[in-house]
Amino acid sequence: MMVVMDRLARNTVRTSQYDPFAAGPLAVEVRTVALQDAVRGRIFPCELWSPAGTDRYPLVVYSHYSGGDRRKATFLCSHLASHGYAVAAMDHSEVVAPELKGREGETEAEREIRIDAIIASRVPDLQFLLARVLAGTLGVDIDGTRIGLAGHSFGGWTVLATPDVEPRVRAIVAMAPGGSSRPMPGVLRLSLSFAWGRDVPTLFLAGEQDAPVPLDDVRELFDRTPASKRMFVLRRADHQHFVDDVEAEHEAVRTMTIPGEAAWIPAAMRPIDEMSSGEQAHRFVRGLALAHFDGILRGVEDVGRFLDGRAVAELAARGVEAFVVP
């Protein structure tokens, strides 16, 4: 099945037959491994989703949000794997390194130094994981000429920052990414140079009612991106609409007490029963992300016309309201 699928993808898959929203035909294997970074003295738990088989696969590396972990978007990682991608994710340094965790009595100056260290660790984390996967450490044969990145929030910033130093990246999906020039209070202050020096086609996915990363902030990054790009917005969606358990995650944030500058966030969020459902959000992310990677990494014919012409209507037919940012 994998050989047949790859032959179709490399040659011709017409949009009249193409459905990125449907589950893929391949069984998915999931493995957890611990990778040791001897240089930084850190051990990273990593997850790999891969199609069952022995073919050579394109690779997508996923980066999680601040305070998250490698399993926060299994709905997306498993979907990509079922369509013939190997997908790798890690717990980032702020999750595994004791020196990067906050402590009682921490001064503001100490906190700023720690946050700077967390930010500085993000891109090296992805470089480390990519190097280990390409070296065969996780036991999957990867086509090193077909590499994509996907990330959410702080992870969205991470995948937009990585092409500055990693020339092998060919495609990006950034979901509600941080990095705008004027972030909301309490949101990480991140900068992006976009010093890519080449075209890295990028898909931006955003929530219409995202409280911590408003639509205008994502639009700023979209406008600054020096590459082929598209941007889709999910209506009635907030920041937690890009993770696994949307309803529980959204309500957990909306009802919590957040200290400091971010204390305003819960009150700015609408109840989940007024928002898009988790399943609607997952359809939005799964289908559009897969189509983007298929078009760039697999050369699936006419995916561009699908994304530019039919995608919003196809989403609406599946009960998902979205729009395109021109």
Side-chain angles (χ1 to χ4, degrees):
M1 177 71 74
M2 187 64 219
V3 173
V4 173
M5 181 183 173
D6 268 353
R7 185 178 301 122
L8 285 171
R10 293 188 190 111
N11 294 330
T12 301
V13 177
R14 300 189 181 280
T15 52
S16 60
Q17 303 169 332
Y18 181 66
D19 183 6
F21 303 102
L26 306 174
V28 176
E29 296 177 348
V30 184
R31 275 171 283 169
T32 303
V33 299
L35 299 180
Q36 184 172 10
D37 184 345
V39 174
R40 294 185 291 173
R42 296 171 186 171
I43 298 176
F44 294 98
C46 301
E47 208 87 351
L48 179 72
W49 294 259
S50 60
T54 59
D55 211 327
R56 201 163 191 236
Y57 305 113
L59 172 68
V60 173
V61 176
Y62 173 80
S63 180
H64 64 74
Y65 64 84
S66 176
D69 61 60
R70 67 193 187 277
R71 297 192 183 108
K72 282 300 182 181
T74 64
F75 79 95
L76 172 61
C77 297
S78 58
H79 184 70
L80 294 174
S82 76
H83 283 271
Y85 292 84
V87 184
M90 69 192 303
D91 286 354
H92 275 287
S93 284
E94 72 267 20
V95 179
V96 305
E99 68 271 20
L100 297 181
K101 298 183 184 299
R103 60 177 178 80
E104 188 175 350
E106 182 181 52
T107 67
E108 184 60 29
E110 290 171 334
R111 180 181 181 277
E112 288 182 5
I113 292 172
R114 179 174 59 82
I115 295 301
D116 286 346
I118 288 173
I119 294 170
S121 72
R122 274 286 178 138
V123 171
D125 286 352
L126 282 201
Q127 289 180 291
F128 169 77
L129 178 57
L130 181 57
R132 298 299 291 270
V133 174
L134 292 178
T137 305
L138 276 67
V140 176
D141 189 12
I142 299 298
D143 182 348
T145 68
R146 296 189 290 167
I147 295 172
L149 304 178
H152 169 228
S153 193
F154 193 12
W157 172 86
T158 304
V159 302
L160 291 172
T162 298
D164 285 1
V165 297
E166 179 47 72
R168 291 172 293 190
V169 174
R170 288 188 52 201
I172 291 173
V173 174
M175 296 170 274
S180 75
S181 60
R182 291 183 290 181
M184 299 295 287
V187 174
L188 284 174
R189 295 188 175 277
L190 305 164
S191 62
L192 288 164
S193 66
F194 288 107
W196 296 355
R198 66 197 188 283
D199 186 23
V200 184
T202 302
L203 175 68
F204 286 86
L205 300 178
E208 182 184 33
Q209 296 168 356
D210 192 320
V213 182
L215 185 55
D216 285 347
D217 288 14
V218 183
R219 178 61 191 260
E220 176 197 321
L221 299 182
F222 174 74
D223 289 341
R224 290 178 56 204
T225 300
S228 307
K229 55 196 174 185
R230 294 184 178 89
M231 180 171 166
F232 288 82
V233 181
L234 177 62
R235 292 196 182 277
R236 299 188 312 282
D238 206 327
H239 202 61
Q240 283 69 41
H241 277 73
F242 300 92
V243 299
D244 274 352
D245 194 347
V246 171
E247 285 83 359
E249 294 273 357
H250 178 89
E251 286 301 295
V253 175
R254 193 180 71 83
T255 57
M256 72 170 52
T257 300
I258 301 177
E261 290 185 319
W264 62 273
I265 293 176
M269 299 171 63
R270 293 170 57 181
I272 192 63
D273 60 7
E274 299 178 11
M275 310 292 283
S276 289
S277 70
E279 182 51 40
Q280 289 168 333
H282 289 178
R283 287 177 191 147
F284 173 82
V285 174
R286 282 192 303 246
L288 296 177
L290 175 62
H292 180 70
F293 287 132
D294 275 351
I296 306 304
L297 302 182
R298 305 194 94 114
V300 177
E301 186 179 275
D302 290 340
V303 164
R305 277 181 284 186
F306 171 82
L307 288 172
D308 292 335
R310 288 178 44 212
V312 170
E314 292 279 2
L315 284 163
R318 292 164 173 80
V320 181
E321 295 183 49
F323 63 92
V324 176
V325 171

